[in-house]
Structure formats: structure tokens, C-alpha cells
Amino acid sequence: PVRSNHTVSLVNSLSWTNAVSDKPDALRTAWPLAGLTQHSEQFPLAQVKRCDAAGVCSWGVLKAERTLSAPRYVAGGVAVDVALSVDVDRRHEALQGGERVAVAIPADVPALTTRRTVRKSVVMQYGKIERIDLDFGIGYELCAQRHDAAGQPVDSCEIPFM
């Protein structure tokens, strides 16, 4: 990329189905590859749910964080190590935007729980999306995107804004 006056960013998104509206929801961010050595990002708390065939729904509070490390250029793209931690439980607290926030599911509502950490070395071709599927419809997408000297995207990363 340097020889062609390109810079590279990693576009990433954590997605889930909004528990209230039942519509897709996500947080999408982009970060310059050069600054991603041990780069952590905590996603905002969100509510998820799963309903059984009888229409009885269990709810959970999603808390997720990802760390990107060891970014490196490979032929036609980039490679990066991903550590993605997802924790769904009845209650979570987090520091978001400088404020301490808490979200809880009432005691009389069935609760979802899962804790999972995925560690994976990912090799991506420019503009191709790598997806990691998790429990309860939660997903993580990552894409490498080149930008020209004017900062305009050279590659398309079709990860939607929500």
C-alpha cells in the first residue's frame, strides 16, 4: 500500500437483533491499520432476546469487547489477530462515553446467559468481509479497506451503518 500511496483501515462491526424492535442493530467503526497494535474497543451495552416456538422470550444484556493485535500486510490484503469477548447475562455495567451505565433484565423475565471468547488469526483480502457468528444472533464482521492519497476508499467494505 505504501508504494501506491494507499493507507489501510480496518472496518469492523458488532451486530445483533434489537430486542425491542426485532430489527437489525449494530455498531460500525473504522480504525487505521497503523495504530492497531493491541487496540481494544468496548461496544455499548445492548439487549438481546430469543423466543421459543410458544412465544416465550428470554432476554439478556450484551457486553462485548474486541482486541486487534499483530496487524501485518500480506499479499493482496492484511492479517490481524482478533480476540472477541462476548458476555450475555441478566445485568451488566460499563463505562460508556465517560459515564457509568447499567442495564438489567427484571427478575421475573427469563434470562439468557453465555460467555465466549474467540481468538482467531484472520487473513483478509482487501474489500472482503470476514464474519464470526456467535450465540443469540450476535455477529462480528471485519474488513480491510485501502484509501487513496486523498482519503477516498479504494475498496468497498459492505458492512452497513445502522
Side-chain angles (χ1 to χ4, degrees), residues 37-61:
T37 303
Q38 287 304 114
H39 184 271
S40 292
E41 181 173 20
Q42 181 176 319
F43 295 96
L45 299 178
Q47 292 182 4
V48 294
K49 74 177 177 185
R50 180 178 62 195
C51 301
D52 64 19
V56 176
C57 298
S58 298
W59 291 60
V61 179

Side-chain angles (χ1 to χ4, degrees), residues 1 8 13 23 29 34 39 48 61 69 71 97 116 121 123 137:
V8 176
S13 172
K23 294 181 179 177
T29 59
H39 184 271
V48 294
V61 179
S69 58
R116 184 171 170 201
S121 186
V123 178

Side-chain angles (χ1 to χ4, degrees), residues 97-150:
E99 300 287 328
R100 178 142 308 276
V101 297
V103 179
I105 304 302
D108 62 339
V109 174
L112 299 172
T113 60
T114 189
R115 283 192 179 92
R116 184 171 170 201
T117 299
V118 176
R119 288 182 172 80
K120 185 174 182 180
S121 186
V122 179
V123 178
M124 295 168 284
Q125 298 300 303
Y126 294 118
K128 303 295 181 198
I129 296 170
E130 178 73 24
R131 182 170 172 87
I132 299 172
D133 289 308
L134 301 151
D135 298 323
F136 312 127
I138 301 164
Y140 177 76
E141 293 180 325
L142 185 63
C143 179
Q145 184 176 52
R146 292 172 291 182
H147 297 267
D148 63 21

Side-chain angles (χ1 to χ4, degrees), residues 45-47 60-63 87-92 103-105:
L45 299 178
Q47 292 182 4
V61 179
L62 166 63
K63 185 176 185 177
D87 186 352
V88 176
D89 210 336
R90 181 173 292 281
R91 182 181 199 292
H92 278 299
V103 179
I105 304 302

